[in-house]
Amino acid sequence: MKSFFLLIPFALLSFFNKQSSQKITAPQTTGTLKITFVNTVKGKPLELNTVKYTNPFGEEYSISKFKYYISQVSLLRGKAVFFEPENFHLIDESNADALHFSFALGAGNYSSLNFLLGVDSLHNVSGAQTGALDPLNDMFWTWNSGYVMAKIEGHSPQAKVVNNKFEFHIGGFMGENNVLKNITLSFPDGKSLNIQEGKTSEIIIEADIDKCWQQPNDIKIAEHPVCSAPGPLAKKIADNYSKMFTVKDILN
Amino acid sequence: MAITKAILVRRFLAPLWSSCKGTSVALGVRLRIIILLCVCTSLAALFIGAADNAAINFADGKLPDYIEFKIPPGWPKPAKDIFAKNKLSEQGFQLGKKLFYDTRLSKDGSNIACANCHQQFAAFATYDHDFSHGQNDQHTTRNAPALFNLAWMTNYHWDGGINHIEVQPLSPLTSPTEMAETLENVLAKLKKDSSYPTMFKAAFGTDEINSQRMLKALAQFTGSIVSANSKYDKVLRGEAKFTYSEENGYAVFKANCAACHKEPLFTDNSLRNNGLPINEYLKDYGRMKITGKPEDSLKFKVPSLRNVAVSFPYMHDGRFYSLGAVIEHYRNGISPQPTLDSLLTKKIDISNAQKSELIYFLNTLTDTSMTKNPRFAK
């Protein structure tokens, strides 16, 4: 009798521990999924500052900053969806360590990938955050609370502003100004993600800046050198860049 | 977490457990069951709490002295609980106060603390200044708002652009016309200080200094500033009596002002266009800057009238230096604009005598137990 009661706290404790660990790894056997982002312009790896590119409207430009938030990553296995535990990743072209992330995933075959481009509305209204969401990362508007979901900055002779610098700071999480993009990527023909116990598989995602200028909205640097607030322009640019991602390769 | 558990068992449970031995067998078993249940509940709370807030990590088991945030009797509950994920403690409050009065939060050489523009004797507004002085003696573009009862506010700044008390300091801290500093530099300066690491540890469990903890500590201090003990409050509680003029002024207030300056907070937290002609130099369109919507043009936050006698000048640009001038605006100065608030389309029709009585009443809203409280002083 006595020993039975003694067991209660430990049973409860293990229950809570189990709960939290279940969130991280649903099935018993797990491997690791690494997701790597390769930022490109027209398929060629992006070179910050040094290389001049031309957009579909013949405007010449270079890129000095390219950052975006990836969150709510999930994968489809059969008909079941498996999420990465709540986490935010700031992909930053200027930092080689900020171009990939990894998490544990149950063993099995997965057929597609889904993520949110941006930071969900709750985390835009919940006060001071840390980690990838730390305002130190210069992705938080101090005068109009909310995260910049993506930043594209560069120079172009067509940008008739100080230093010919164009900057797209894309944010907005509320109502009609919402720029959050839920993005589903299918895998290349004949490829599937096979997570095996104790091993690391990798998905390589290409983000092509060339897609930001067109489809569905024409964005000319000469007309819109600056976007620094939520609103219709930010939404148009977000519509375009939501189509810049493709899965390039899967390494099992 | 493992260490916390060990300490819990060693310090509290073992002695409690053995103390049950002296009692009768049946009572001893029952007592032990009760202890076990209590332990389970508190451990569960620890786990849930830990998941809730990564900023807090009391690895060595020394918890800060938590404080209950008291809601004055008869007041509404705050719209959102600003201390729900930032548990108010004495150590957090003291750290926030030190930060609030620390000039190192501004660019080196400018010597500006939060308290420079938010002076306690002026209900934490800038006394006698339409605009405050920032780095290099630049002026801000809006009048510094008074700081009290922030827990009841749904957003901050004259345009309501700030959606949470914790992220507000980022704005003055980095604004080139205010404190003009970077977050990186501020944190580096705090880390070099001899007392901050200890204070962060006392408030948040480890000596790690990061932006989240700094902002949460500041929110513990500013969010704790409550003004609910003016003569008006004492009258409502039956501890004081209005004079004849104050009583009449209260009636004038209720008939003409209370719709926007709603009791007991003396604001309804809304943003409205109160008919001020546009300031041609600033061209400040208020809320429209945040939403981009023409219907929000010239809308500004309705400020609380508590402590209004000590927080002059008034309006978002500090254009009025006296309460008389403000009342005069509502009597005769309203500028007809497309977004003018519907409550102001008819001018406020009060006599000169009523105007003076209203000012007598507004003076009863000064709360010296807040403006002179040593707990909020440097």
Side-chain angles (χ1 to χ4, degrees):
Chain A
M1 188 64 180
K2 208 170 174 182
S3 55
F4 170 74
F5 283 119
L6 266 168
L7 283 173
I8 293 177
F10 297 104
L12 275 172
L13 261 179
S14 61
F15 172 74
F16 280 108
N17 279 334
K18 209 174 166 191
Q19 280 259 310
S20 50
S21 62
Q22 263 179 355
K23 276 187 204 160
I24 299 162
T25 54
Q28 291 302 313
T29 58
T30 62
T32 302
L33 171 62
K34 181 181 181 188
I35 299 182
T36 301
F37 286 81
V38 179
N39 298 319
T40 69
V41 180
K42 295 180 194 168
K44 285 189 184 153
L46 171 64
E47 303 264 0
L48 288 181
N49 301 310
T50 50
V51 176
K52 289 191 171 73
Y53 303 103
T54 310
N55 73 10
F57 309 107
E59 296 175 310
E60 199 175 79
Y61 68 95
S62 62
I63 296 287
S64 54
K65 197 178 272 184
F66 189 41
K67 293 162 92 173
Y68 46 90
Y69 277 112
I70 299 290
S71 62
Q72 298 182 8
V73 179
S74 71
L75 289 111
L76 194 65
R77 193 172 89 194
K79 285 179 178 169
V81 179
F82 294 86
F83 276 87
E84 181 197 15
E86 185 180 272
N87 209 347
F88 297 90
H89 308 282
L90 179 57
I91 304 299
D92 181 353
E93 178 61 23
S94 71
N95 176 2
D97 293 333
L99 291 169
H100 57 83
F101 57 88
S102 302
F103 57 92
L105 193 63
N109 268 300
Y110 295 82
S111 56
S112 73
L113 169 74
N114 189 284
F115 57 81
L116 187 72
L117 183 58
V119 176
D120 64 290
S121 60
L122 179 68
H123 284 84
N124 278 274
V125 298
S126 301
Q129 307 291 320
T130 191
L133 299 183
D134 194 314
L136 268 176
N137 294 320
D138 200 23
M139 294 289 278
F140 189 81
W141 275 315
T142 59
W143 48 275
N144 184 1
S145 304
Y147 283 93
V148 178
M149 312 301 179
K151 259 188 189 182
I152 307 169
E153 290 182 11
H155 295 84
S156 166
Q158 272 71 35
K160 303 292 183 203
V161 285
V162 180
N163 296 331
N164 299 115
K165 186 181 173 190
F166 73 92
E167 49 183 39
F168 300 155
H169 295 179
I170 311 302
F173 58 91
M174 270 187 301
E176 60 194 31
N177 288 335
N178 187 338
V179 295
L180 291 168
K181 295 291 177 190
N182 193 20
I183 293 167
T184 302
L185 300 179
S186 54
F187 294 160
D189 283 346
K191 296 249 179 182
S192 79
L193 175 69
N194 183 19
I195 298 285
Q196 299 161 69
E197 187 179 0
K199 290 189 176 173
T200 298
S201 298
E202 186 175 6
I203 297 180
I204 297 168
I205 298 174
E206 180 186 342
D208 190 346
I209 290 182
D210 190 53
K211 305 274 169 62
C212 297
W213 311 106
Q214 263 185 324
Q215 302 292 330
N217 307 301
D218 287 357
I219 303 294
K220 293 177 184 161
I221 297 173
E223 287 172 17
H224 304 292
V226 176
C227 178
S228 61
L233 178 61
K235 285 202 68 173
K236 279 184 183 171
I237 297 172
D239 285 345
N240 287 3
Y241 73 46
S242 70
K243 296 183 177 64
M244 72 181 169
F245 299 97
T246 44
V247 173
K248 257 330 235 197
D249 203 1
I250 294 174
L251 309 171
N252 285 310
Chain B
M1 190 51 82
I3 305 166
T4 321
K5 271 185 263 174
I7 285 173
L8 212 74
V9 172
R10 207 168 57 227
R11 282 201 196 150
F12 304 108
L13 297 182
L16 253 178
W17 191 261
S18 43
S19 73
C20 299
K21 278 181 188 160
T23 53
S24 73
V25 178
L27 186 63
V29 170
R30 258 183 259 163
L31 275 173
R32 286 180 183 189
I33 294 173
I34 292 168
I35 295 170
L36 281 173
L37 285 174
C38 294
V39 172
C40 295
T41 326
S42 41
L43 278 175
L46 267 176
F47 277 101
I48 293 162
D52 234 13
N53 195 343
I56 292 164
N57 175 20
F58 294 101
D60 63 1
K62 195 170 182 301
L63 293 171
D65 305 307
Y66 290 121
I67 312 170
E68 188 199 348
F69 180 67
K70 291 198 179 82
I71 295 168
W75 280 33
K77 264 192 175 174
K80 64 181 164 199
D81 184 356
I82 58 166
F83 299 122
K85 290 195 171 178
N86 182 20
K87 209 169 170 190
L88 186 59
S89 72
E90 183 58 26
Q91 287 81 356
F93 172 91
Q94 292 299 341
L95 172 59
K97 179 160 114 174
K98 186 175 164 68
L99 290 163
F100 188 84
Y101 286 99
D102 194 334
T103 56
R104 282 171 291 184
L105 265 60
S106 62
K107 190 170 179 168
D108 290 352
S110 48
N111 281 320
I112 301 166
C114 306
N116 282 43
C117 303
H118 297 286
Q119 302 163 309
Q120 187 182 6
F121 60 89
F124 292 99
T126 315
Y127 191 76
D128 195 19
H129 276 66
D130 45 4
F131 301 114
S132 312
H133 300 264
Q135 196 247 345
N136 276 342
D137 217 21
Q138 296 173 90
H139 281 117
T140 56
T141 52
R142 285 180 184 153
N143 180 253
L147 305 182
F148 53 82
N149 303 342
L150 301 180
W152 283 267
M153 287 192 185
T154 44
N155 51 41
Y156 304 88
H157 283 194
W158 279 104
D159 56 20
I162 306 295
N163 65 25
H164 197 289
I165 189 172
E166 288 171 14
V167 296
Q168 191 285 331
L170 292 168
S171 185
L173 212 140
T174 57
S175 163
T177 60
E178 296 180 54
M179 298 164 93
E181 186 53 293
T182 65
L183 207 45
E184 289 90 337
N185 287 350
V186 171
L187 294 173
K189 284 184 260 183
L190 300 186
K191 283 172 190 167
K192 272 190 223 152
D193 181 83
S194 57
S195 53
Y196 273 121
T198 321
M199 292 181 81
F200 272 80
K201 185 171 189 238
F204 297 116
T206 66
D207 59 8
E208 185 188 345
I209 294 175
N210 63 33
S211 71
Q212 187 184 42
R213 288 176 166 192
M214 180 185 78
L215 294 168
K216 281 181 182 287
L218 276 165
Q220 291 203 21
F221 173 68
T222 55
S224 295
I225 303 170
V226 172
S227 180
N229 199 29
S230 62
K231 180 173 182 183
Y232 157 85
D233 298 293
K234 289 176 186 160
V235 171
L236 287 202
R237 295 199 299 258
E239 297 161 16
K241 273 195 167 157
F242 281 139
T243 63
Y244 177 76
S245 304
E246 289 164 353
E247 185 75 51
N248 287 346
Y250 186 30
V252 174
F253 166 81
K254 283 196 279 193
N256 297 285
C257 320
C260 303
H261 297 285
K262 198 176 162 206
E263 295 171 81
L265 292 155
F266 286 84
T267 172
D268 66 351
N269 281 323
S270 63
L271 292 117
R272 299 169 189 260
N273 176 351
N274 66 343
L276 294 168
I278 180 96
N279 185 317
E280 285 300 332
Y281 296 96
L282 296 170
K283 298 216 187 312
D284 186 348
Y285 290 91
R287 182 69 177 166
M288 192 170 78
K289 191 185 171 193
I290 299 300
T291 63
K293 292 180 182 161
E295 62 263 38
D296 287 331
S297 173
L298 296 169
K299 286 186 184 170
F300 294 91
K301 191 117 177 262
V302 175
S304 172
L305 296 183
R306 286 180 172 273
N307 303 297
V308 74
V310 297
S311 56
F312 68 95
Y314 308 110
M315 304 297 160
H316 63 276
D317 54 6
R319 70 177 70 184
F320 298 134
Y321 268 75
S322 68
L323 288 170
V326 173
I327 297 169
E328 212 42 48
H329 164 72
Y330 289 114
R331 286 211 301 189
N332 292 309
I334 301 267
S335 159
Q337 290 149 348
T339 58
L340 178 66
D341 198 81
S342 59
L343 291 169
L344 293 172
T345 46
K346 227 178 76 194
K347 59 185 178 184
I348 290 176
D349 187 17
I350 57 173
S351 68
N352 286 343
Q354 285 175 314
K355 180 178 162 184
S356 333
E357 287 166 342
L358 180 55
I359 293 171
Y360 277 115
F361 168 70
L362 293 173
N363 276 288
T364 71
L365 298 175
T366 302
D367 178 4
T368 50
S369 75
M370 187 277 280
T371 59
K372 292 182 180 167
N373 189 342
R375 183 163 169 75
F376 303 133
K378 190 174 182 177

